[in-house]
Amino acid sequence: MAGGTSGDARAVHEGILRRQSARESSARTYARALPIVPVRARGLTIEGADGRRYLDCLSGAGTLALGHNHPVVLEAIRRVLDSGAPLSVLDLATPVKDAFVTELFRTLPPGLADRSRVQFCGPAGTDAVEAALKLVRTATGRTGILAFTGAYHGMTAGALAASGGAPDVQVARLPYPQDYRCPFGVGGPHGAELAARWTESLLDDPKSGVPLPAGMILEPVQGEGGVIPAPDDWLRRMRRLTADRSIPLIADEIQTGVGRTGAFWAVDHSGVTPDVMVLSKAIGGSLPLAVIVYRDDLDVWQPGAHAGTFRGNQLAMAAGTATLAYVRENALAERAAALGTRMLTRLAELTHVFPCVGDVRGRGLMIGVELVNPDADHPASHPAPLASDVGDVGDAADVGAGGMGDLSGTAARPEPTRTPYPAAPELAAAVQRECLQRGLIVELGGRHASVVRLLPPLTISDEQATAVLDRLTDAVAAAVRHQESHGPHQQHQPCPAQRAG
């Protein structure tokens, strides 16, 4: 917009948004809540067509591990463009692909890297999920899938069927452990133990109605489900349950991978080695790329069993190699762990200042702030689970490290740890709008779109992190003031739940 006035820039901005609204599908999501027109971007910062600048804590729904237009990514792309190499090669071998696979395998969990196969998929994570489901069904000869409440695995038919919002029941749905809204009203190690016991009972009960499945798919941290990290001991328990029953374990690391949670892969926190890993988003260095990596003994499908025209995207592989190497060589996962801990500590202070901040949670630089309605009638405490239903549960002091010890004793049942207030999606949408007015881009997620999500690039500086937290805190305060003066029903209605592809 050089040489133009601010009025000209605003007119261009509004014109583009108007044409988008007139031309594009009503299925669009982010554009509804974030009416901006990006024209330039670098690192954490986006500049809009109207000249406004924003701190981007959406990062392409977690795609931009290094932020926008990182120099190592741009250089890798330019190298391929300047070389005259073909840009799309289906599944043919190329030096660019060879370098990508070599770097990818270098980062994989121990026990998988030395016996892996990789399948390049269509360029979205949801197609990789489809490939993973197809793979385990082919390898086992079984059809059923185990998935978890709150899950999000994509927007194609098979991926949707395994997600928490599935309209039809095509998979067996299991409880995912969480503290704040524990399905058993317990939370903590006890809640995780009950969730694990439910799964074990379902698998071993011949009258459960669930035959031995082809696989179990889970997210080590549920992102769209509300930023809910799985307890490490629970993940190890799921690994044992599946391994003992020859059920392939699929880890969906589409959003959690490449350092996001403070480890290169989120399963690394627990030391779990899955049978299949579903990877996308950050592995393409900002460009479309999706793969599955899996144990070599599962590699039984026939040629052409899974394919995709754009699975040979050379620019994405070059950008991905540069991103994977940069994160590994510069210890950005460790940096995400340390900075994320500091950010979570400061955000936790909001729960003492604003009653509407119900919970702050996350892992690394995958952070969620759940907003609630503290003025609603407080629901009655959930009764403790009956011993006859789930087994007697001992005192917390008796639980082993990580909260998954032997609970075969007959000690008193635990009381609920907390009874959360109802979710406040209208307030969350208001906070998102207030953030945007202050130059901060955030996403909403969770069961009721009431969780404000932060997914900053791993390259965010300490100063930028402070600015993000300052703007978010100010936005919460402004939204609360507005609600107090106008009432909760005067808030704009939130947009439909935003889903990342």
Side-chain angles (χ1 to χ4, degrees):
M1 307 310 301
T5 66
S6 60
D8 293 336
R10 187 69 191 173
V12 170
H13 167 90
E14 292 176 350
I16 291 174
L17 290 179
R18 186 168 57 250
R19 288 189 291 276
Q20 180 189 40
S21 179
R23 296 168 175 174
E24 291 190 23
S25 160
S26 59
R28 67 190 186 280
T29 54
Y30 296 104
R32 296 179 184 273
L34 302 171
I36 62 177
V37 181
V39 293
R40 278 175 291 276
R42 189 65 174 258
L44 181 68
T45 304
I46 285 179
E47 182 179 336
D50 58 356
R52 292 197 63 196
R53 295 169 71 86
Y54 303 88
L55 301 180
D56 180 14
C57 281
L58 175 58
S59 298
T63 298
L64 306 172
L66 304 184
H68 294 276
N69 294 320
H70 193 281
V72 302
V73 172
L74 296 182
E75 175 57 28
I77 293 172
R78 290 192 188 101
R79 236 181 352 255
V80 174
L81 290 174
D82 292 343
S83 72
L87 300 184
S88 189
V89 295
L90 299 172
D91 62 0
L92 299 179
T94 70
V96 172
K97 179 197 273 190
D98 184 64
F100 172 78
V101 174
T102 299
E103 182 60 39
L104 175 64
F105 278 26
R106 183 179 295 172
T107 70
L108 294 178
L112 186 59
D114 57 353
R115 54 175 307 190
S116 283
R117 294 290 185 270
V118 60
Q119 168 68 31
F120 286 84
C121 307
T126 188
D127 187 66
V129 170
E130 298 284 350
L133 300 180
K134 187 186 298 182
L135 172 72
V136 296
R137 284 169 170 151
T138 301
T140 64
R142 304 188 291 262
T143 58
I145 297 294
L146 300 177
F148 291 86
T149 55
Y152 177 72
H153 298 294
M155 293 299 289
T156 51
L160 273 175
S163 298
D168 299 311
V169 179
Q170 300 178 27
V171 303
R173 199 78 54 191
L174 302 169
Y176 191 92
Q178 54 174 309
D179 285 339
Y180 191 61
R181 298 191 184 276
C182 175
F184 304 104
V186 177
H190 290 300
E193 171 66 14
L194 295 176
R197 286 193 177 201
W198 181 285
T199 300
E200 186 171 12
S201 174
L202 189 84
L203 289 172
D204 292 344
D205 182 355
K207 298 296 184 181
S208 69
V210 178
L212 192 67
M216 172 190 285
I217 184 168
L218 57 76
E219 300 159 278
V221 180
Q222 286 193 345
E224 294 293 323
V227 192
I228 304 173
D232 290 341
D233 279 342
W234 177 84
L235 271 177
R236 288 188 282 267
R237 182 76 165 269
M238 293 302 100
R239 174 68 283 188
R240 289 196 301 272
L241 289 176
T242 52
D244 289 348
R245 294 158 181 79
S246 299
I247 302 170
L249 178 63
I250 305 167
D252 181 341
E253 291 258 16
I254 291 172
Q255 191 169 89
T256 55
V258 194
R260 169 62 56 190
T261 69
F264 206 98
W265 307 108
V267 293
D268 293 341
H269 292 290
S270 62
V272 161
T273 299
D275 303 299
V276 185
M277 293 178 67
V278 184
L279 313 176
S280 189
K281 292 191 185 296
I283 68 164
S286 76
L287 298 180
L289 189 62
V291 306
I292 58 172
V293 292
Y294 53 92
R295 281 195 348 252
D296 52 8
D297 60 300
L298 297 174
D299 195 33
V300 298
W301 48 13
Q302 296 299 309
H306 196 81
T309 301
F310 296 106
R311 64 192 185 278
N313 186 338
Q314 299 294 280
L315 294 182
M317 292 178 196
T321 302
T323 298
L324 294 171
Y326 192 89
V327 170
R328 177 178 56 81
E329 293 168 357
N330 291 275
L332 291 191
E334 293 81 357
R335 157 99 176 137
L339 180 57
T341 296
R342 295 198 298 272
M343 293 179 72
L344 284 165
T345 298
R346 179 173 163 191
L347 286 169
E349 297 172 3
L350 299 183
T351 62
H352 305 296
V353 178
F354 301 105
C356 65
V357 178
D359 194 33
V360 173
R361 55 185 179 258
R363 198 157 202 176
L365 292 177
M366 192 170 181
I367 295 170
V369 177
E370 181 164 350
L371 298 175
V372 298
N373 180 8
D375 297 323
D377 291 336
H378 206 286
S381 294
H382 299 294
L386 297 176
S388 59
D389 293 335
V390 296
D392 295 322
V393 181
D395 293 332
D398 297 329
V399 178
M404 298 288 288
D406 179 17
L407 302 184
S408 59
T410 57
R413 296 188 299 267
E415 292 301 317
T417 55
R418 64 178 111 188
T419 306
Y421 288 107
E426 295 87 357
L427 180 60
V431 170
Q432 185 184 42
R433 289 192 298 272
E434 294 289 349
C435 283
L436 195 64
Q437 291 179 14
R438 288 157 177 78
L440 176 63
I441 299 172
V442 298
E443 182 182 11
L444 299 184
R447 267 62 161 189
H448 305 283
S450 61
V451 178
V452 177
R453 299 189 59 196
L454 298 178
L455 291 165
L458 309 187
T459 51
I460 184 174
S461 69
D462 289 350
E463 294 76 16
Q464 289 173 326
T466 298
V468 165
L469 298 180
D470 287 345
R471 295 182 193 190
L472 176 57
T473 300
D474 192 43
V476 172
V480 169
R481 286 195 302 270
H482 185 276
Q483 186 178 72
E484 290 173 346
S485 60
H486 294 84
H489 300 297
Q490 297 300 314
Q491 301 284 357
H492 297 294
Q493 292 299 311
C495 67
Q498 300 167 349
R499 295 302 188 190

